[in-house]
Amino acid sequence: MDALIGDYLFFFPLVMSLMWTTGALYTWFRYERHTPRHDAPPDATHLPPVSIIIPCFNEAAHVVETIKHALAVRHPDFEVIAVDDGSTDGTAVILDSLAESAWRLKVVRQPFNQGKAAALKAGALEASYEILVCIDGDARIDPFAPTWIAAAFAADEQLGALTGNPRIANRSTLLGRMQVGEFSAMIGIIKRAQLILKRLFTVSGVIAAFRKSAVEQVGYWTLDALTEDIDMTWKLQRAGWRATFDPHALVWILTPETLHGLWRQRLRWAMGGAQVMLRNIDVLWSRRSHGMRPLMLEMIASVTWCYLLAASFLAALVWRLVMADQPFSLAATGLILGACCVVQFTAGAIIDRRYDERVIRDLVWSIWYPLAFWLLQFATTIVAYPLVFLRRRGKPATWVSPDRGLPNDRQS
């Protein structure tokens, strides 16, 4: 039994890393490598208009930059809808001031903080157009991103959701630089690999586009979902809509630069994933949702791996205390997993260098990723599931933005 558990702890991350890397390289080689640069989008003359929705809660430090970038996109027909979700820091005043001189900007006011899902719904109800492009209140959308998004929706009537390509803007700290590699080697690699299944685990909420009629069909965003992006992705795909990833649709984001902020962000992500798993576990036996089974099985296997690893560490610690003469050390197989991680990160950086020229330069900092972020993901997963079980269903998922730095790398 011990050997079986040991093999699982070793081979699961190894096999998944190899599958993600080879799947992403296949997708890049087969579909992506000959596509135009992100700043050479399709002709937008006959493409549909878009509504850019920006939910904001206490974003006074960043919202001016976000709105300016949204208003400067190159798409011929668009509107910007900023939803103030009961901010208490002057965000509402800033938005009203910006709206006075920007005819494309609409401001929607919510009387109190109701959560991102409620803010997105309010923006969708106000939207004039069928294509909804949703970005965070501190994000800076690339001027060509809406055109790439509109082209994808125009080409596929069954496309219900699309996720873009988030790039890190703040890189002045070790945490910020490590996340550059993470977004390429983990988020970008995994999404490309999942395209082979024609299913996505999630569209990234920092830049996610939806077909308005599809969102209406599934009842809008779930108000108690801690990660409304994961929840909506599963709802749409289970209803028969497709979801996809377009790396050309860039957005520059701010990531947490403190351990406290990073912990809060990743714990919320883990709790949101736990919610989705518990609410969608029936895909394992539902005939209508059989296409989602591989993603559910992967999620279950990942959670099982985390809890088995925790149990193994605890057992090893107890054994050392009881048998003091026995050595306690990490398995040498960790070197193999580390090498596999380096290969995955290198592949991600090579693929994403056409969208982010600095990604190769920041690759060296990714050597710390296995130690910092794998442990963080492991810890947040262990904590998340008990918290979700104890959380009252239906409780609104209000939000507090994590600690973030300032964008030291200006991209436009």
Side-chain angles (χ1 to χ4, degrees):
M1 186 64 177
D2 290 345
L4 207 61
I5 293 175
D7 288 345
Y8 182 75
L9 291 176
F10 171 65
F11 283 107
F12 173 71
L14 179 66
V15 170
M16 293 309 302
S17 179
L18 291 173
M19 288 177 58
W20 290 334
T21 304
T22 54
L25 288 172
Y26 169 80
T27 299
W28 171 79
F29 187 84
R30 179 71 176 82
Y31 302 105
E32 188 180 338
R33 67 188 180 111
H34 293 308
T35 56
R37 288 175 50 88
H38 80 277
D39 55 0
D43 180 13
T45 306
H46 301 293
L47 292 178
V50 302
S51 297
I52 302 175
I53 301 176
I54 308 174
C56 305
F57 176 66
N58 288 350
E59 294 287 359
H62 309 286
V63 73
V64 172
E65 189 85 359
T66 298
I67 297 296
K68 285 183 176 179
H69 276 77
L71 291 171
V73 299
R74 306 281 184 89
H75 199 65
D77 196 359
F78 70 96
E79 64 179 355
V80 178
I81 302 171
V83 183
D84 172 53
D85 190 31
S87 297
T88 58
D89 68 341
T91 297
V93 175
I94 295 172
L95 291 175
D96 288 339
S97 175
L98 291 171
E100 291 178 0
S101 58
W103 65 272
R104 290 186 186 271
L105 175 62
K106 300 179 184 178
V107 177
V108 178
R109 302 282 292 276
Q110 307 232 90
F112 57 92
N113 182 210
Q114 301 175 50
K116 187 176 179 182
L120 287 169
K121 180 178 179 179
L125 291 173
E126 185 68 25
S128 305
Y129 305 129
E130 175 71 354
I131 308 303
L132 311 177
V133 179
C134 307
I135 63 173
D136 282 353
D138 64 340
R140 299 174 308 177
I141 191 169
D142 184 82
F144 304 103
T147 301
W148 285 105
I149 291 170
F153 279 94
D156 185 354
E157 294 183 354
Q158 286 302 307
L159 185 62
L162 180 148
T163 182
N165 189 359
R167 311 309 307 167
I168 307 299
N170 51 326
R171 309 181 183 188
S172 59
T173 66
L174 177 59
L175 282 179
R177 289 172 179 171
M178 281 195 294
Q179 289 173 85
V180 175
E182 179 190 24
F183 272 73
S184 293
M186 297 300 293
I187 296 176
I189 283 280
I190 292 173
K191 280 182 168 52
R192 287 178 174 93
Q194 288 173 349
L195 289 179
I196 297 175
L197 299 173
K198 298 184 178 179
R199 298 289 190 280
L200 288 185
F201 177 77
T202 181
V203 297
S204 299
V206 69
I207 179 166
F210 304 96
R211 194 178 297 274
K212 185 176 180 179
S213 55
V215 171
E216 290 174 346
Q217 180 189 329
V218 299
Y220 295 95
W221 290 265
T222 305
L223 298 183
D224 67 345
L226 291 165
T227 49
E228 83 298 327
D229 46 1
I230 307 178
D231 182 79
M232 177 57 76
T233 308
W234 280 70
K235 285 169 67 173
L236 288 173
Q237 290 178 118
R238 296 198 65 178
W241 295 94
R242 285 204 328 105
T244 193
F245 166 62
D246 189 341
H248 299 87
L250 302 181
V251 68
W252 295 90
I253 65 172
L254 299 178
T255 58
E257 289 194 321
T258 67
L259 289 174
H260 177 254
L262 190 63
W263 170 263
R264 279 192 346 202
Q265 181 195 64
R266 299 312 168 92
L267 180 60
R268 181 178 64 83
W269 288 6
M271 290 178 66
Q275 279 184 329
V276 168
M277 176 176 149
L278 296 174
R279 292 177 181 181
N280 293 276
I281 193 71
D282 62 300
V283 301
L284 295 178
W285 56 82
S286 171
R287 291 184 177 181
R288 286 192 56 194
S289 304
H290 66 276
M292 302 298 290
R293 286 176 192 166
L295 297 180
M296 178 58 69
L297 289 171
E298 180 188 333
M299 185 164 27
I300 293 172
S302 178
V303 173
T304 301
W305 183 85
C306 287
Y307 278 95
L308 281 177
L309 183 62
S312 297
F313 272 124
L314 182 60
L317 181 60
V318 171
W319 179 258
R320 174 170 171 75
L321 292 175
V322 174
M323 306 291 291
D325 59 328
Q326 297 295 319
F328 175 59
S329 61
L330 293 175
T333 51
L335 293 175
I336 300 176
L337 294 179
C340 197
C341 180
V342 170
V343 171
Q344 182 175 331
F345 270 73
T346 303
I350 291 172
I351 290 174
D352 269 341
R353 64 179 176 176
R354 67 185 302 196
Y355 310 108
D356 180 358
E357 294 178 355
R358 278 197 53 186
V359 69
I360 296 292
R361 189 191 316 174
D362 291 315
L363 181 63
V364 65
W365 300 102
S366 300
I367 193 173
W368 298 103
Y369 182 89
L371 177 62
F373 286 89
W374 279 7
L375 287 176
L376 182 65
Q377 181 180 356
F378 160 73
T380 54
T381 299
I382 295 297
V383 173
Y385 279 79
L387 291 179
V388 168
F389 275 115
L390 295 172
R391 181 182 175 84
R392 176 172 56 86
R393 184 155 187 164
K395 179 182 178 182
T398 53
W399 52 340
V400 177
S401 296
D403 305 327
R404 294 165 302 196
L406 294 174
N408 55 296
D409 295 318
R410 297 286 171 182
Q411 306 285 346
S412 59

